[in-house]
């Protein structure tokens, strides 16, 4: 997963409002059934993958911190491996 996969998506937080997705300022982003911006639709579709990645990173960081403390060099190397 790379950062540029979602380039062009609507920034910020979203919320459902009736049949629309809107930003938290109340600006309409898309009507639910039809006009998702392509990058927004991809981001929504990939939500389960993104959640899994967050969980993987949290678990990995916790492991590294427990295993490597107080050796900072080893910790940094393991963290770099984790985020590749």
């Amino acid at each position: 997963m790379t950062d540029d996969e979602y380039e062009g998506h609507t920034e910020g937080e979203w919320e459902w409002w009736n049949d629309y997705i809107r930003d938290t300022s109340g600006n309409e982003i898309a009507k639910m059934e039809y006009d998702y911006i392509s990058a927004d639709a991809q981001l929504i579709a990939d939500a389960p993958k993104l959640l899994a990645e967050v969980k993987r990173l949290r678990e990995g960081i916790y492991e590294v911190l427990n295993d490597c403390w107080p050796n900072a060099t080893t910790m940094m190397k393991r963290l770099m491996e984790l985020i590749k």
Side-chain angles (χ1 to χ4, degrees):
M1 191 172 304
T2 62
D3 292 342
D4 61 349
E5 286 181 64
Y6 308 107
E7 188 173 320
H9 76 85
T10 304
E11 296 289 334
E13 295 182 18
W14 307 345
E15 60 187 11
W16 295 105
W17 183 256
N18 295 329
D19 290 339
Y20 296 90
I21 298 171
R22 67 180 192 177
D23 64 22
T24 52
S25 300
N27 299 313
E28 180 183 317
I29 296 170
K31 185 162 174 136
M32 201 166 72
E33 305 101 36
Y34 302 112
D35 57 357
Y36 287 121
I37 297 169
S38 172
D40 291 343
Q42 189 61 54
L43 189 58
I44 292 166
D46 286 349
K49 287 193 267 183
L50 295 169
L51 180 58
E53 179 68 1
V54 167
K55 288 178 180 180
R56 183 190 75 82
L57 288 171
R58 282 185 179 166
E59 289 170 6
I61 290 168
Y62 182 76
E63 268 183 39
V64 169
L65 291 174
N66 278 329
D67 292 349
C68 299
W69 192 262
N71 187 336
T73 303
T74 302
M75 185 185 313
M76 291 304 296
K77 286 180 185 176
R78 297 259 316 266
L79 287 172
M80 292 303 292
E81 290 169 4
L82 183 65
I83 62 173
K84 284 185 183 179

